[in-house]
Coordinates of all heavy atoms in Angstrom, one line a residue:
M1292 N -4.1 2.7 -45.1 CA -4.1 2.3 -43.7 C -2.8 2.7 -43.0 O -2.8 3.2 -41.9 CB -4.3 0.8 -43.6 CG -4.5 0.3 -42.2 SD -6.0 1.0 -41.5 CE -6.1 0.1 -40.0
N1293 N -1.7 2.6 -43.7 CA -0.4 3.1 -43.1 C -0.4 4.6 -42.8 O 0.2 5.0 -41.9 CB 0.7 2.7 -44.0 CG 1.2 1.3 -43.8 OD1 0.8 0.7 -42.9 ND2 1.9 0.8 -44.8
R1294 N -1.0 5.3 -43.7 CA -1.1 6.8 -43.5 C -1.9 7.2 -42.3 O -1.5 8.0 -41.6 CB -1.8 7.4 -44.8 CG -0.9 8.5 -45.4 CD -1.6 8.9 -46.6 NE -2.0 10.3 -46.4 CZ -2.6 11.0 -47.2 NH1 -3.1 10.5 -48.4 NH2 -2.9 12.3 -47.0
L1295 N -3.0 6.5 -42.0 CA -3.7 6.7 -40.8 C -2.9 6.4 -39.6 O -3.0 7.1 -38.6 CB -5.0 5.9 -40.9 CG -6.0 6.1 -39.7 CD1 -6.4 7.5 -39.6 CD2 -7.2 5.2 -39.8
W1296 N -2.2 5.3 -39.6 CA -1.4 4.9 -38.5 C -0.3 5.9 -38.2 O -0.1 6.3 -37.0 CB -0.7 3.5 -38.7 CG 0.3 3.2 -37.7 CD1 1.6 3.1 -37.9 CD2 0.1 2.8 -36.4 NE1 2.3 2.8 -36.8 CE2 1.4 2.6 -35.8 CE3 -1.0 2.7 -35.6 CZ2 1.5 2.3 -34.5 CZ3 -0.8 2.4 -34.2 CH2 0.4 2.2 -33.7
Y1297 N 0.4 6.4 -39.2 CA 1.4 7.4 -39.0 C 0.8 8.7 -38.5 O 1.4 9.4 -37.7 CB 2.2 7.6 -40.3 CG 3.1 6.5 -40.6 CD1 3.0 5.8 -41.7 CD2 4.1 6.1 -39.6 CE1 3.9 4.7 -42.0 CE2 4.9 5.0 -39.9 CZ 4.8 4.3 -41.1 OH 5.7 3.3 -41.3
L1298 N -0.4 9.1 -39.0 CA -1.0 10.3 -38.6 C -1.4 10.2 -37.1 O -1.1 11.1 -36.3 CB -2.3 10.6 -39.4 CG -3.1 11.7 -38.9 CD1 -2.4 13.0 -39.2 CD2 -4.5 11.7 -39.6
T1299 N -1.9 9.0 -36.7 CA -2.3 8.8 -35.3 C -1.0 8.8 -34.4 O -1.0 9.4 -33.4 CB -3.0 7.5 -35.2 OG1 -4.2 7.6 -36.0 CG2 -3.5 7.3 -33.7
R1300 N 0.0 8.1 -34.8 CA 1.2 7.9 -34.0 C 2.0 9.2 -33.9 O 2.5 9.5 -32.9 CB 2.1 6.8 -34.6 CG 3.3 6.5 -33.7 CD 4.2 5.6 -34.4 NE 4.9 6.4 -35.5 CZ 5.8 5.9 -36.3 NH1 6.1 4.7 -36.3 NH2 6.3 6.7 -37.2
D1301 N 2.0 10.0 -35.0 CA 2.8 11.2 -35.0 C 2.1 12.4 -34.4 O 2.8 13.3 -33.9 CB 3.3 11.5 -36.4 CG 4.3 10.5 -36.9 OD1 4.9 9.8 -36.1 OD2 4.4 10.4 -38.1
S1302 N 0.8 12.5 -34.4 CA 0.2 13.7 -33.9 C -0.8 13.5 -32.8 O -0.8 14.3 -31.8 CB -0.6 14.4 -35.1 OG -1.5 13.5 -35.6
I1303 N -1.6 12.5 -32.8 CA -2.6 12.3 -31.7 C -2.0 11.6 -30.5 O -2.3 12.1 -29.4 CB -3.8 11.6 -32.3 CG1 -4.5 12.4 -33.4 CG2 -4.8 11.2 -31.2 CD1 -5.6 11.7 -34.1
S1304 N -1.2 10.6 -30.7 CA -0.6 9.9 -29.5 C 0.2 10.8 -28.6 O 0.0 10.7 -27.4 CB 0.2 8.7 -30.0 OG -0.6 7.8 -30.7
P1305 N 1.1 11.6 -29.1 CA 1.9 12.5 -28.2 C 1.0 13.5 -27.4 O 1.2 13.8 -26.3 CB 2.9 13.2 -29.1 CG 2.9 12.5 -30.3 CD 1.7 11.7 -30.4
L1306 N 0.0 14.0 -28.1 CA -1.0 14.9 -27.5 C -1.7 14.2 -26.4 O -1.8 14.8 -25.3 CB -2.0 15.4 -28.6 CG -3.0 16.4 -28.1 CD1 -2.3 17.7 -27.8 CD2 -4.0 16.6 -29.2
L1307 N -2.2 13.0 -26.6 CA -2.9 12.3 -25.6 C -2.0 12.0 -24.4 O -2.4 12.1 -23.2 CB -3.6 11.1 -26.1 CG -4.8 11.3 -27.0 CD1 -5.4 10.0 -27.6 CD2 -5.9 12.1 -26.3
A1308 N -0.8 11.6 -24.7 CA 0.1 11.2 -23.6 C 0.5 12.4 -22.8 O 0.5 12.3 -21.5 CB 1.4 10.6 -24.2
A1309 N 0.7 13.5 -23.4 CA 1.0 14.8 -22.6 C -0.2 15.2 -21.8 O 0.0 15.7 -20.7 CB 1.5 15.9 -23.6
L1310 N -1.3 15.1 -22.4 CA -2.6 15.6 -21.8 C -2.9 14.7 -20.5 O -3.2 15.2 -19.5 CB -3.7 15.6 -22.7 CG -5.0 16.2 -22.3 CD1 -4.8 17.7 -22.0 CD2 -6.1 16.0 -23.3
M1311 N -2.8 13.4 -20.7 CA -3.1 12.5 -19.6 C -2.0 12.6 -18.5 O -2.4 12.6 -17.3 CB -3.2 11.1 -20.1 CG -4.4 10.8 -21.0 SD -6.0 11.4 -20.2 CE -6.1 10.3 -18.9
G1312 N -0.8 12.7 -18.8 CA 0.3 12.9 -17.8 C 0.1 14.1 -17.0 O 0.3 14.1 -15.8
S1313 N -0.1 15.2 -17.7 CA -0.2 16.5 -17.0 C -1.5 16.6 -16.2 O -1.5 17.1 -15.1 CB -0.2 17.7 -18.0 OG -1.3 17.6 -18.9
Y1314 N -2.6 16.0 -16.6 CA -3.8 15.9 -15.9 C -3.6 15.1 -14.6 O -4.1 15.5 -13.5 CB -5.0 15.3 -16.7 CG -6.3 15.2 -16.0 CD1 -7.0 16.3 -15.7 CD2 -6.7 14.0 -15.5 CE1 -8.2 16.2 -15.0 CE2 -7.9 13.9 -14.7 CZ -8.6 15.0 -14.5 OH -9.8 14.9 -13.8
L1315 N -3.0 14.0 -14.7 CA -2.8 13.2 -13.5 C -1.8 13.9 -12.5 O -2.0 13.8 -11.3 CB -2.2 11.8 -13.9 CG -3.2 10.8 -14.4 CD1 -2.5 9.6 -15.0 CD2 -4.2 10.5 -13.4
L1316 N -0.9 14.6 -13.0 CA 0.0 15.4 -12.1 C -0.8 16.5 -11.4 O -0.7 16.6 -10.2 CB 1.1 16.0 -12.9 CG 2.1 16.9 -12.1 CD1 2.9 16.0 -11.2 CD2 3.0 17.7 -13.0
A1317 N -1.6 17.2 -12.1 CA -2.5 18.2 -11.5 C -3.4 17.6 -10.5 O -3.6 18.2 -9.4 CB -3.2 19.0 -12.5
W1318 N -4.0 16.5 -10.8 CA -4.9 15.8 -9.8 C -4.1 15.4 -8.6 O -4.6 15.5 -7.5 CB -5.5 14.6 -10.5 CG -6.5 13.9 -9.7 CD1 -6.3 12.8 -8.9 CD2 -7.9 14.2 -9.5 NE1 -7.4 12.4 -8.3 CE2 -8.4 13.2 -8.6 CE3 -8.7 15.2 -10.0 CZ2 -9.7 13.3 -8.2 CZ3 -10.0 15.2 -9.6 CH2 -10.5 14.2 -8.7
G1319 N -2.9 14.9 -8.7 CA -2.1 14.5 -7.6 C -1.7 15.6 -6.7 O -1.8 15.5 -5.5
V1320 N -1.3 16.7 -7.3 CA -1.0 17.9 -6.6 C -2.2 18.4 -5.8 O -2.1 18.8 -4.6 CB -0.4 19.0 -7.5 CG1 -0.3 20.4 -6.8 CG2 1.0 18.6 -8.0
T1321 N -3.3 18.4 -6.4 CA -4.5 18.9 -5.8 C -5.0 18.0 -4.6 O -5.3 18.5 -3.5 CB -5.7 19.0 -6.8 OG1 -5.3 19.9 -7.9 CG2 -6.9 19.6 -6.2
T1322 N -5.0 16.7 -4.8 CA -5.4 15.8 -3.8 C -4.4 15.8 -2.6 O -4.9 16.0 -1.4 CB -5.4 14.3 -4.4 OG1 -6.2 14.3 -5.5 CG2 -5.9 13.4 -3.3
L1323 N -3.2 15.8 -2.8 CA -2.2 15.8 -1.7 C -2.2 17.2 -1.1 O -2.1 17.2 0.2 CB -0.8 15.4 -2.2 CG 0.3 15.3 -1.2 CD1 -0.1 14.2 -0.1 CD2 1.6 15.0 -1.8
G1324 N -2.3 18.2 -1.8 CA -2.3 19.6 -1.2 C -3.5 19.8 -0.4 O -3.3 20.4 0.7
I1325 N -4.7 19.5 -0.8 CA -5.9 19.7 0.0 C -5.8 18.9 1.3 O -6.1 19.4 2.4 CB -7.1 19.3 -0.8 CG1 -7.4 20.4 -1.9 CG2 -8.4 19.3 0.1 CD1 -8.5 20.0 -2.8
S1326 N -5.4 17.6 1.2 CA -5.3 16.8 2.4 C -4.2 17.3 3.4 O -4.5 17.4 4.6 CB -4.9 15.4 2.0 OG -5.9 14.8 1.2
A1327 N -3.1 17.8 2.8 CA -2.0 18.3 3.7 C -2.5 19.6 4.4 O -2.2 19.9 5.5 CB -0.8 18.5 2.9
L1328 N -3.1 20.5 3.6 CA -3.6 21.8 4.2 C -4.7 21.6 5.2 O -4.7 22.2 6.3 CB -4.1 22.7 3.1 CG -3.0 23.4 2.3 CD1 -3.6 24.2 1.1 CD2 -2.1 24.2 3.1
V1329 N -5.6 20.6 5.0 CA -6.6 20.3 6.0 C -6.0 19.7 7.2 O -6.4 20.1 8.3 CB -7.7 19.4 5.4 CG1 -8.6 18.9 6.4 CG2 -8.5 20.2 4.3
A1330 N -5.0 18.9 7.0 CA -4.3 18.3 8.2 C -3.6 19.3 9.0 O -3.4 19.2 10.2 CB -3.3 17.2 7.7
S1331 N -3.1 20.4 8.4 CA -2.4 21.5 9.1 C -3.3 22.5 9.7 O -2.8 23.5 10.3 CB -1.4 22.1 8.2 OG -2.0 22.8 7.1
G1332 N -4.6 22.4 9.5 CA -5.5 23.3 10.1 C -6.3 24.3 9.3 O -7.1 25.0 9.7
V1333 N -6.0 24.3 8.0 CA -6.7 25.2 7.1 C -8.1 24.6 6.8 O -8.3 23.4 6.7 CB -5.9 25.3 5.7 CG1 -6.7 26.2 4.7 CG2 -4.5 25.9 6.0
S1334 N -9.1 25.5 6.7 CA -10.5 25.0 6.4 C -10.5 24.3 5.0 O -9.7 24.7 4.1 CB -11.5 26.1 6.4 OG -11.3 26.9 5.3
F1335 N -11.4 23.3 4.9 CA -11.4 22.5 3.7 C -11.7 23.4 2.5 O -11.1 23.3 1.4 CB -12.5 21.4 3.8 CG -12.7 20.7 2.5 CD1 -11.8 19.8 2.0 CD2 -13.9 21.0 1.7 CE1 -12.0 19.1 0.8 CE2 -14.1 20.3 0.5 CZ -13.2 19.4 0.1
H1336 N -12.7 24.3 2.6 CA -13.1 25.1 1.4 C -12.0 26.1 1.0 O -11.9 26.3 -0.2 CB -14.4 25.8 1.7 CG -15.5 24.9 1.9 ND1 -16.1 24.1 0.9 CD2 -16.3 24.5 3.0 CE1 -17.0 23.3 1.3 NE2 -17.2 23.6 2.6
S1337 N -11.3 26.6 1.9 CA -10.1 27.5 1.6 C -9.1 26.7 0.8 O -8.5 27.1 -0.1 CB -9.6 28.2 2.8 OG -10.5 29.0 3.4
A1338 N -8.7 25.5 1.4 CA -7.7 24.7 0.8 C -8.2 24.2 -0.6 O -7.4 24.2 -1.6 CB -7.4 23.4 1.6
E1339 N -9.4 23.8 -0.7 CA -9.9 23.4 -2.0 C -9.9 24.5 -3.1 O -9.4 24.3 -4.2 CB -11.4 22.9 -1.9 CG -12.0 22.4 -3.1 CD -13.5 22.0 -3.0 OE1 -14.1 22.7 -2.1 OE2 -13.9 21.2 -3.7
T1340 N -10.3 25.7 -2.7 CA -10.3 26.8 -3.6 C -8.9 27.2 -4.1 O -8.6 27.4 -5.3 CB -11.0 28.0 -3.0 OG1 -12.3 27.7 -2.6 CG2 -11.0 29.2 -3.9
G1341 N -8.0 27.2 -3.1 CA -6.6 27.6 -3.5 C -5.9 26.6 -4.4 O -5.3 27.0 -5.3
L1342 N -6.1 25.3 -4.1 CA -5.5 24.3 -4.9 C -6.1 24.1 -6.2 O -5.5 23.7 -7.2 CB -5.3 23.0 -4.1 CG -4.1 23.2 -3.1 CD1 -4.0 22.0 -2.2 CD2 -2.8 23.4 -3.8
L1343 N -7.4 24.3 -6.3 CA -8.1 24.2 -7.6 C -7.7 25.3 -8.5 O -7.6 25.2 -9.7 CB -9.6 24.1 -7.5 CG -10.1 22.7 -6.9 CD1 -11.6 22.7 -6.8 CD2 -9.7 21.6 -7.8
L1344 N -7.4 26.5 -7.9 CA -6.9 27.6 -8.7 C -5.4 27.3 -9.2 O -5.0 27.7 -10.2 CB -6.9 28.9 -7.9 CG -8.2 29.5 -7.7 CD1 -8.1 30.7 -6.7 CD2 -8.8 30.0 -9.0
L1345 N -4.7 26.5 -8.4 CA -3.3 26.2 -8.7 C -3.3 25.0 -9.7 O -2.3 24.8 -10.5 CB -2.6 25.8 -7.5 CG -1.1 25.4 -7.6 CD1 -0.3 26.7 -8.0 CD2 -0.6 24.8 -6.3
A1346 N -4.4 24.2 -9.8 CA -4.4 23.1 -10.7 C -4.2 23.4 -12.2 O -3.5 22.7 -12.9 CB -5.7 22.3 -10.5
F1347 N -4.8 24.5 -12.6 CA -4.7 24.8 -14.0 C -3.3 25.2 -14.5 O -2.8 24.6 -15.5 CB -5.6 26.0 -14.4 CG -5.5 26.4 -15.8 CD1 -5.9 25.6 -16.9 CD2 -4.9 27.6 -16.2 CE1 -5.8 25.9 -18.2 CE2 -4.7 28.0 -17.5 CZ -5.2 27.1 -18.5
P1348 N -2.5 26.0 -13.7 CA -1.2 26.3 -14.1 C -0.3 25.1 -14.0 O 0.6 24.9 -14.9 CB -0.7 27.4 -13.1 CG -1.9 28.0 -12.6 CD -3.0 27.0 -12.7
V1349 N -0.5 24.2 -13.0 CA 0.3 23.0 -12.9 C 0.0 22.1 -14.2 O 0.9 21.5 -14.8 CB 0.0 22.2 -11.6 CG1 0.5 20.8 -11.6 CG2 0.5 23.0 -10.4
C1350 N -1.3 21.9 -14.5 CA -1.6 21.1 -15.7 C -1.0 21.7 -17.0 O -0.5 21.0 -17.8 CB -3.1 21.0 -15.8 SG -3.7 19.8 -17.0
L1351 N -1.1 23.0 -17.1 CA -0.6 23.6 -18.3 C 0.9 23.5 -18.4 O 1.5 23.2 -19.5 CB -1.0 25.1 -18.3 CG -0.6 25.9 -19.5 CD1 -1.2 25.4 -20.8 CD2 -0.9 27.4 -19.3
A1352 N 1.6 23.7 -17.3 CA 3.1 23.6 -17.3 C 3.5 22.1 -17.6 O 4.4 21.9 -18.3 CB 3.6 24.0 -15.9
G1353 N 2.8 21.2 -17.0 CA 3.1 19.8 -17.3 C 2.9 19.4 -18.7 O 3.6 18.7 -19.3
F1354 N 1.8 19.9 -19.3 CA 1.4 19.6 -20.7 C 2.5 20.2 -21.6 O 3.0 19.5 -22.5 CB 0.1 20.2 -21.0 CG -0.3 20.0 -22.4 CD1 -0.7 18.8 -22.9 CD2 -0.2 21.1 -23.3 CE1 -1.0 18.7 -24.3 CE2 -0.5 21.0 -24.6 CZ -0.9 19.8 -25.1
L1355 N 2.8 21.5 -21.4 CA 3.8 22.1 -22.3 C 5.2 21.4 -22.1 O 5.9 21.3 -23.1 CB 3.9 23.6 -22.0 CG 2.6 24.4 -22.3 CD1 2.8 25.8 -21.9 CD2 2.3 24.3 -23.8
W1356 N 5.5 21.1 -20.9 CA 6.8 20.4 -20.7 C 6.8 19.1 -21.4 O 7.8 18.7 -22.0 CB 7.1 20.3 -19.2 CG 8.4 19.7 -18.8 CD1 9.6 19.7 -19.5 CD2 8.6 18.9 -17.6 NE1 10.5 19.1 -18.8 CE2 10.0 18.6 -17.6 CE3 7.8 18.6 -16.6 CZ2 10.6 17.8 -16.6 CZ3 8.4 17.8 -15.5 CH2 9.8 17.5 -15.6
A1357 N 5.8 18.3 -21.2 CA 5.7 17.0 -21.8 C 5.6 17.0 -23.3 O 6.2 16.2 -24.0 CB 4.5 16.2 -21.3
F1358 N 4.9 18.0 -23.9 CA 4.8 18.1 -25.3 C 6.0 18.6 -26.0 O 6.3 18.3 -27.1 CB 3.6 19.0 -25.6 CG 3.1 18.8 -27.0 CD1 2.3 17.6 -27.3 CD2 3.3 19.7 -28.0 CE1 1.9 17.4 -28.6 CE2 2.8 19.5 -29.3 CZ 2.1 18.3 -29.6
A1359 N 6.8 19.5 -25.3 CA 8.0 20.0 -25.9 C 9.2 19.1 -25.7 O 10.3 19.4 -26.3 CB 8.3 21.4 -25.3
S1360 N 9.1 18.1 -24.8 CA 10.3 17.3 -24.5 C 10.6 16.4 -25.7 O 9.7 16.0 -26.4 CB 9.9 16.5 -23.3 OG 11.0 15.5 -23.0
R1361 N 11.8 16.0 -25.8 CA 12.2 15.0 -26.8 C 11.7 13.6 -26.5 O 11.3 12.9 -27.3 CB 13.8 15.0 -26.9 CG 14.3 15.9 -27.8 CD 15.7 15.7 -28.0 NE 16.1 16.7 -29.0 CZ 17.2 16.7 -29.6 NH1 18.1 15.8 -29.4 NH2 17.5 17.7 -30.4
H1362 N 11.8 13.3 -25.2 CA 11.3 12.0 -24.7 C 9.9 12.1 -24.1 O 9.7 12.0 -22.9 CB 12.3 11.5 -23.7 CG 13.7 11.4 -24.1 ND1 14.1 10.5 -25.1 CD2 14.7 12.2 -23.8 CE1 15.4 10.8 -25.3 NE2 15.8 11.8 -24.6
R1363 N 9.0 12.5 -25.0 CA 7.7 12.9 -24.5 C 6.9 11.7 -23.8 O 6.2 11.9 -22.9 CB 6.9 13.6 -25.5 CG 6.1 12.9 -26.4 CD 5.3 13.9 -27.4 NE 6.1 15.0 -27.9 CZ 6.4 15.2 -29.2 NH1 6.1 14.3 -30.1 NH2 7.1 16.2 -29.6
Y1364 N 7.1 10.5 -24.4 CA 6.3 9.4 -23.8 C 6.9 9.0 -22.4 O 6.2 8.7 -21.4 CB 6.4 8.1 -24.7 CG 5.6 8.4 -25.9 CD1 6.2 8.4 -27.2 CD2 4.2 8.6 -25.9 CE1 5.5 8.6 -28.3 CE2 3.5 8.8 -27.0 CZ 4.1 8.8 -28.2 OH 3.4 9.0 -29.4
R1365 N 8.2 9.1 -22.3 CA 8.9 8.8 -21.0 C 8.5 9.8 -20.0 O 8.2 9.5 -18.8 CB 10.4 8.7 -21.2 CG 11.1 8.3 -19.9 CD 12.6 8.3 -20.1 NE 13.0 7.7 -21.4 CZ 14.2 8.0 -21.9 NH1 15.1 8.7 -21.3 NH2 14.5 7.4 -23.1
L1366 N 8.5 11.1 -20.4 CA 8.2 12.2 -19.5 C 6.7 12.1 -19.1 O 6.3 12.3 -17.9 CB 8.5 13.5 -20.1 CG 8.2 14.7 -19.2 CD1 9.1 14.7 -17.9 CD2 8.5 16.0 -19.9
S1367 N 5.8 11.8 -20.0 CA 4.4 11.7 -19.7 C 4.1 10.5 -18.8 O 3.3 10.7 -17.9 CB 3.6 11.5 -21.0 OG 3.7 12.6 -21.9
L1368 N 4.9 9.4 -19.0 CA 4.7 8.3 -18.0 C 5.2 8.7 -16.6 O 4.6 8.4 -15.6 CB 5.5 7.1 -18.6 CG 5.4 5.8 -17.7 CD1 4.0 5.3 -17.7 CD2 6.3 4.8 -18.3
M1369 N 6.3 9.5 -16.6 CA 6.8 9.9 -15.3 C 5.8 10.9 -14.6 O 5.6 10.8 -13.4 CB 8.2 10.6 -15.5 CG 8.9 11.0 -14.2 SD 8.7 12.6 -13.6 CE 9.0 13.7 -14.9
L1370 N 5.3 11.8 -15.4 CA 4.2 12.7 -14.8 C 3.0 11.9 -14.3 O 2.5 12.2 -13.2 CB 3.8 13.7 -15.9 CG 4.8 14.8 -16.3 CD1 4.2 15.6 -17.4 CD2 5.1 15.7 -15.1
A1371 N 2.6 11.0 -15.1 CA 1.5 10.1 -14.6 C 1.8 9.3 -13.4 O 1.0 9.2 -12.5 CB 1.0 9.2 -15.8
A1372 N 3.0 8.8 -13.3 CA 3.4 8.0 -12.1 C 3.5 8.9 -10.9 O 3.0 8.5 -9.8 CB 4.7 7.3 -12.4
V1373 N 4.1 10.1 -11.0 CA 4.2 11.0 -9.9 C 2.8 11.4 -9.5 O 2.5 11.5 -8.3 CB 5.1 12.2 -10.3 CG1 5.0 13.3 -9.2 CG2 6.6 11.7 -10.4
G1374 N 2.0 11.8 -10.4 CA 0.6 12.2 -10.1 C -0.2 11.1 -9.4 O -0.9 11.3 -8.4
S1375 N 0.0 9.8 -9.8 CA -0.7 8.7 -9.2 C -0.1 8.5 -7.8 O -0.9 8.2 -6.9 CB -0.5 7.4 -10.0 OG -1.1 7.6 -11.3
L1376 N 1.2 8.6 -7.6 CA 1.7 8.4 -6.2 C 1.3 9.5 -5.3 O 0.9 9.3 -4.1 CB 3.2 8.4 -6.3 CG 3.9 7.1 -6.9 CD1 5.4 7.3 -7.0 CD2 3.5 5.9 -6.0
M1377 N 1.2 10.8 -5.8 CA 0.7 11.9 -5.0 C -0.8 11.7 -4.7 O -1.2 12.0 -3.5 CB 1.0 13.2 -5.7 CG 2.4 13.6 -5.8 SD 2.7 15.0 -6.8 CE 2.2 16.3 -5.6
T1378 N -1.6 11.2 -5.6 CA -3.0 10.9 -5.3 C -3.1 9.9 -4.3 O -3.9 10.0 -3.3 CB -3.7 10.5 -6.6 OG1 -3.6 11.6 -7.6 CG2 -5.2 10.2 -6.4
A1379 N -2.3 8.8 -4.4 CA -2.4 7.7 -3.3 C -2.0 8.3 -2.0 O -2.6 7.9 -1.0 CB -1.5 6.6 -3.8
A1380 N -0.9 9.1 -1.9 CA -0.5 9.7 -0.7 C -1.6 10.6 -0.1 O -1.8 10.6 1.1 CB 0.8 10.4 -0.8
G1381 N -2.2 11.4 -0.9 CA -3.3 12.2 -0.5 C -4.5 11.5 0.1 O -5.1 11.8 1.1
W1382 N -4.8 10.3 -0.6 CA -5.9 9.5 -0.1 C -5.6 8.9 1.3 O -6.4 8.8 2.1 CB -6.3 8.4 -1.1 CG -7.1 8.9 -2.2 CD1 -7.8 10.1 -2.3 CD2 -7.3 8.2 -3.5 NE1 -8.4 10.2 -3.5 CE2 -8.1 9.1 -4.3 CE3 -6.9 7.0 -4.0 CZ2 -8.6 8.7 -5.5 CZ3 -7.4 6.7 -5.2 CH2 -8.2 7.5 -6.0
Q1383 N -4.3 8.5 1.4 CA -3.9 7.9 2.7 C -3.9 8.9 3.8 O -4.3 8.7 4.9 CB -2.5 7.3 2.6 CG -2.4 6.0 1.8 CD -3.1 4.9 2.4 OE1 -4.3 4.9 2.4 NE2 -2.4 4.0 3.0
L1384 N -3.5 10.1 3.5 CA -3.5 11.2 4.5 C -5.0 11.6 4.8 O -5.3 11.8 6.0 CB -2.8 12.4 3.9 CG -2.6 13.6 4.9 CD1 -1.9 13.2 6.1 CD2 -1.9 14.8 4.2
Q1385 N -5.8 11.5 3.9 CA -7.2 11.8 4.1 C -7.8 10.8 5.0 O -8.6 11.1 5.9 CB -8.0 11.9 2.8 CG -9.4 12.2 2.9 CD -10.2 12.2 1.6 OE1 -9.6 11.9 0.6 NE2 -11.4 12.5 1.6
A1386 N -7.4 9.5 4.8 CA -8.0 8.4 5.6 C -7.5 8.6 7.1 O -8.2 8.2 8.0 CB -7.5 7.1 5.1
L1387 N -6.3 9.2 7.3 CA -5.8 9.4 8.6 C -6.5 10.6 9.3 O -6.7 10.6 10.5 CB -4.3 9.7 8.6 CG -3.4 8.5 8.2 CD1 -2.0 9.0 8.1 CD2 -3.5 7.4 9.3
I1388 N -6.9 11.6 8.5 CA -7.6 12.8 9.0 C -9.0 12.5 9.5 O -9.5 12.8 10.5 CB -7.6 13.9 8.0 CG1 -6.2 14.4 7.7 CG2 -8.4 15.1 8.5 CD1 -6.1 15.3 6.5
L1389 N -9.8 11.8 8.6 CA -11.2 11.5 8.9 C -11.3 10.4 9.9 O -10.6 9.4 9.9 CB -11.9 11.1 7.6 CG -11.9 12.2 6.5 CD1 -12.6 11.6 5.3 CD2 -12.7 13.4 7.0
P1390 N -12.2 10.6 10.8 CA -12.4 9.6 11.9 C -13.1 8.3 11.3 O -13.7 8.2 10.4 CB -13.3 10.2 12.9 CG -13.9 11.4 12.3 CD -13.1 11.7 11.1

């Protein structure tokens, strides 16, 4: 049982933390970016296409940064918090745009 716990803690947990943190960061960038571009006059479909193309490199960069960091749990938590705040800001901006 101890071997399974160490295997999970040492290999799977950092992977999941980095993956979730980077995913939330990419989601936040996409949400806030689309809302900001639409508010500035860009068509929705153009903003969506551009930022969904940008989401993969953002997610990949966040994942590699979080996975390579010494403090990977702290950095993954920071990425998730920033992504969540950006998502909330994007939703608020979207609520202001839509009648």
Side-chain angles (χ1 to χ4, degrees):
M1292 187 66 173
N1293 278 344
R1294 235 174 114 184
L1295 180 63
W1296 169 251
Y1297 288 120
L1298 175 69
T1299 303
R1300 187 188 70 183
D1301 293 340
S1302 60
I1303 296 174
S1304 297
L1306 179 69
L1307 288 177
L1310 187 63
M1311 293 306 295
S1313 63
Y1314 178 77
L1315 285 172
L1316 178 68
W1318 183 263
V1320 167
T1321 303
T1322 304
L1323 185 59
I1325 290 173
S1326 299
L1328 286 174
V1329 169
S1331 67
V1333 177
S1334 72
F1335 172 75
H1336 295 292
S1337 297
E1339 181 186 30
T1340 301
L1342 284 172
L1343 287 178
L1344 286 171
L1345 183 68
F1347 177 71
V1349 168
C1350 187
L1351 182 63
F1354 175 78
L1355 293 176
W1356 182 30
F1358 200 74
S1360 174
R1361 273 190 179 192
H1362 307 287
R1363 90 178 40 114
Y1364 292 116
R1365 187 182 317 160
L1366 183 62
S1367 296
L1368 184 64
M1369 189 265 312
L1370 290 174
V1373 168
S1375 298
L1376 287 173
M1377 290 174 77
T1378 301
W1382 282 346
Q1383 289 294 74
L1384 185 58
Q1385 182 183 2
L1387 292 173
I1388 295 170
L1389 296 176

